[in-house]
Amino acid sequence: MSPSVPLQEMIRAIRSARTQCEERGVIQRECAAIRAQFRQADNGGRSHNLAKLLYVHMLGYPAHFGQMECVRMIASPRYSEKRVGYLGAMMLLDEKQDASLLITNSIKNDLSHSNQYVQSLALCTLACMGSAEMCRDLAPEIDRLLRASNSYIKKKAALCAVHIVRKVHDLGELFAPAARSLLAEKNHGVLHGAVVLITELCERSPETLERFRKTVPDLVQIMKGLVISGYSPEHDVAGISDPFLQVRILRLLRILGRNNEAASDAMNDLLAQVATNTDSTKTVGNAVLYETVLTVLDIKSESGLRVLAVNILGRFLLNNDRNIRYIAMTSLQRIVGTDHNAVQRHRGTIVDCLKDQDASVKRRALELSLALVSATNIRSMMKELLLFLSSCPLELRAQAASGIFNAAERYAPSQRWHIDTILHVLTTAGGDVRDETVPNLIQLITNTSELHCYTVHKLYRALLSDISQQSLVQVACWCIGEYGDLLLRGECQETEPVQVTEDDVLDALETVLQSHMSAPATRGFALTATMKLSTRITDNVDRIRSIVSIYGSCIDVELQQRAVEYNALFKKYDHMRAAVLERMPVIEKNSPGHTNGESTREAVKEVQPAKVKQAETLLPQQPTSQVCDLLDLLGGSEEPLQPNPAVGSTVPVLPISTSSTAGGDLLDLLGGLEPTPLTSAPTVTVYEKGGVTLTLSSEKQSDSGLTVTLTACNSTDSDISSFTLQAAVPKSVQLHMKAPSGDSLPARGAAKVTQMVALSNPNKVNLKMRIRISYTSQGSAFQDTVQVDSFPEH
């Protein structure tokens, strides 16, 4: 192909290529011809060749060899060559190329050219690819052109100044005076460029922002001229006068009025005028209205004006365009916290958007609907949300369930309604709920003693109908294990009486244990529930023993360990079974981090009844072989210590071999210790380390009863959280720990935590106590153990 062919012929040849290989061949031949032409000293077709090279660059082929040709053409005195040269510089050069520095002097010369079109070419090129060094060198020239008399040049110079300010923030002060004077211009392009420049200056400098707040009346006047009289008929779009300039002015007013009473008052009337007079039937009108709404909501506007803005967004929700509905809900989501009542007026429209086919609109509608839930509308809103949950997409189900749980916890009108709502969610989307749902619901059920019978009946029916929802099955197993006796009575005022036999309950639990849909954690719930029923029923204990013994050889290590320990309770330690498996105490506070995963293991807190969860959800962090380490208290001692049996430990208490190991176990509490006589002091300090002090006082209640009070204090400068006390005593002594007064210790002794411990010593053995202290301070966990050999009595 000859290099002298016109650009149109080259384009036609490239487009007619039937394969990629043929296209590359055409371009390679043409590029080779262009290179040869560039090497000639006297080339009359340079602009022609560079234009073809730019087309090749647009197709994605290398064209870097034309950079120096661009530099030479920019320096040409001919306008036609300058135009192509500057165009090539904007496409082929950037601030990272060394060749870009070669055109700085040419741009400076052209900025002072007598021809306005040559000046325009230089301004456009600098605004497109000017580096920081070029901007610093040429900024005075741009400031000079901002004060020129030619509107065409001032418009280009204003946009070039915007690029310079973005590249070099320090140069903003240079353009501020000229930018202020540009607001007096009547030309649309100059005004638009001036508003963009002022916006950029105000966003980057608080001092400049304060200075330009004085221009609010001028901007209001310009905006009124556009809204009322129509300033530029040639810029009219769908009946809206100069909408692009209106949007730019509204954005600038938003910046100037933010956190400023005087500036906001000056623009309130204008914003109300724009909001009421702008046509909302066309897209361009909606664009102006949307910017008006954002401005009203961002400045210190009047309450009536904010209600008007919310109503405009409410009209947007009725628009057929999904994009407009989406941005309306996004804006309402931002203001629902501050203008809740105004947004509530559009609740029906927002709820209707839950049925939208668009996934993004549906997600925004869900977020906004959850934010609108309050104590007055909880029942009606929850009906809509539960209906949505039953048919919502899978990707929204977890978010919807979580939002419903949070709303029910905050605004539940009654405990029964709260429980029914959560059970409905678990029945519908039990596999998509968060991990902490199970322990939270267990806590709720435990604290609502008057609904234990109703809850266990309802969960039993749910378990019979569906065992695929793991969270629901876990809660049902827990309740059956705890309140199985209430289920067997068949008397429940809240529901129809149903006669349930012991075999029916065991059949349901055995179905869960044998189902392939049950996760290992769920089987753990069912196995423990089966074991707990051994103390609540009388006729089927042998069947329970056989079920438990089967899982003694289970492949799952956790289930196997539980079954082995439960078997030990049936055999050697049957006298302890009733105490170990007694009903769980009231749970006062959640312990975060519980999960329903198959392999999740959480720390066990055995001695705080207020924080103990059901056995199925609390697995220790140590290996499973060390689950009973806390209970391995007396390796080599004469009197094994015994933890509180009323706290619902994960596993039953098993005595440990009396053979002592070297060094002793962590909780080999009394090995090698000799009893010492009790002291007569009323209060003793038993622990003082790291700023934490623990004192002990005791009061004798009877010959065999003793009440011990543990008091903890924090003298450090940082608060302590998750403070827990655990205790163990000799095996023949019965221990009962009451709920602590709290779990946090404020800094510098601002408050204390007290723990009451009741001891029963019928055999009159020498009392000893091992106390484990655990807490978190400054993000780090601490744990220590102290031996108490004397108890002061009053």
Side-chain angles (χ1 to χ4, degrees), residues 41 68 82 113 158 163 167 282 288 304 317 340 364 495 570 629 786 794:
M68 293 307 299
K82 274 185 178 293
H113 202 278
H163 173 78
K167 280 290 179 183
K282 302 290 179 63
V288 175
L317 293 175
H340 191 270
R364 279 287 181 262
T495 62
F570 273 121
D629 272 356
V786 61
H794 291 290

Side-chain angles (χ1 to χ4, degrees), residues 53-90:
L53 187 62
L54 293 180
Y55 180 76
V56 171
H57 172 74
M58 291 170 60
L59 295 178
Y61 292 93
H64 57 278
F65 59 89
Q67 292 176 354
M68 293 307 299
E69 190 66 16
C70 293
V71 175
R72 286 192 289 268
M73 292 184 68
I74 288 174
S76 171
R78 297 174 60 183
Y79 175 76
S80 59
E81 293 187 352
K82 274 185 178 293
R83 182 177 60 178
V84 179
Y86 274 122
L87 178 61
M90 286 186 277

Side-chain angles (χ1 to χ4, degrees), residues 236-445:
D236 182 275
V237 179
I240 306 297
S241 177
D242 211 344
F244 295 98
L245 182 57
Q246 287 194 42
V247 167
R248 289 292 185 182
I249 293 176
L250 287 170
R251 289 181 182 175
L252 180 55
L253 289 175
R254 180 160 73 247
I255 296 172
L256 297 175
R258 188 178 298 145
N259 300 323
N260 188 276
E261 292 278 0
S264 299
D265 291 341
M267 62 184 77
N268 274 335
D269 293 341
L270 169 69
L271 295 174
Q273 198 171 24
V274 175
T276 53
N277 294 340
T278 303
D279 183 13
S280 61
T281 59
K282 302 290 179 63
T283 301
V284 64
N286 287 329
V288 175
L289 284 174
Y290 180 63
E291 287 297 331
T292 305
V293 168
L294 293 183
T295 303
V296 169
L297 298 178
D298 212 19
I299 67 173
K300 293 183 176 297
S301 53
E302 300 171 351
S303 59
L305 193 57
R306 296 180 71 87
V307 173
L308 177 60
V310 174
N311 291 339
I312 292 175
L313 293 176
R315 292 203 304 270
F316 282 176
L317 293 175
L318 301 174
N319 199 294
N320 293 328
D321 191 330
R322 288 174 177 170
N323 293 325
I324 295 178
R325 294 204 299 275
Y326 179 84
I327 63 171
M329 281 186 288
T330 303
S331 302
L332 290 172
Q333 179 73 25
R334 290 168 48 193
I335 64 172
V336 68
T338 55
D339 297 274
H340 191 270
N341 292 333
V343 181
Q344 279 283 0
R345 298 189 183 98
H346 307 281
R347 189 178 69 206
T349 308
I350 294 169
V351 171
D352 287 340
C353 290
L354 289 171
K355 305 172 185 176
D356 198 284
Q357 298 299 317
D358 187 86
S360 299
V361 173
K362 190 174 295 187
R363 183 182 295 275
R364 279 287 181 262
L366 173 62
E367 294 172 355
L368 191 53
S369 298
L370 292 172
L372 287 176
V373 177
S374 64
T376 57
N377 63 21
I378 180 68
R379 293 183 182 272
S380 59
M381 285 295 293
M382 202 56 68
K383 288 181 181 178
E384 298 289 345
L385 291 171
L386 291 175
L387 182 63
F388 170 76
L389 181 65
S390 62
S391 60
C392 74
L394 292 177
E395 62 270 15
L396 294 180
R397 191 166 293 175
Q399 180 182 359
S402 177
I404 290 173
F405 286 153
N406 293 335
E409 185 175 358
R410 293 181 61 186
Y411 305 113
S414 65
Q415 295 282 12
R416 176 172 174 174
W417 182 93
H418 192 181
I419 292 175
D420 286 343
T421 301
I422 296 181
L423 293 183
H424 188 285
V425 175
L426 291 180
T427 305
T428 307
D432 299 297
V433 299
R434 295 183 303 180
D435 293 337
E436 61 267 25
T437 300
V438 171
N440 287 348
L441 179 55
I442 288 174
Q443 174 195 346
L444 176 63
I445 295 172

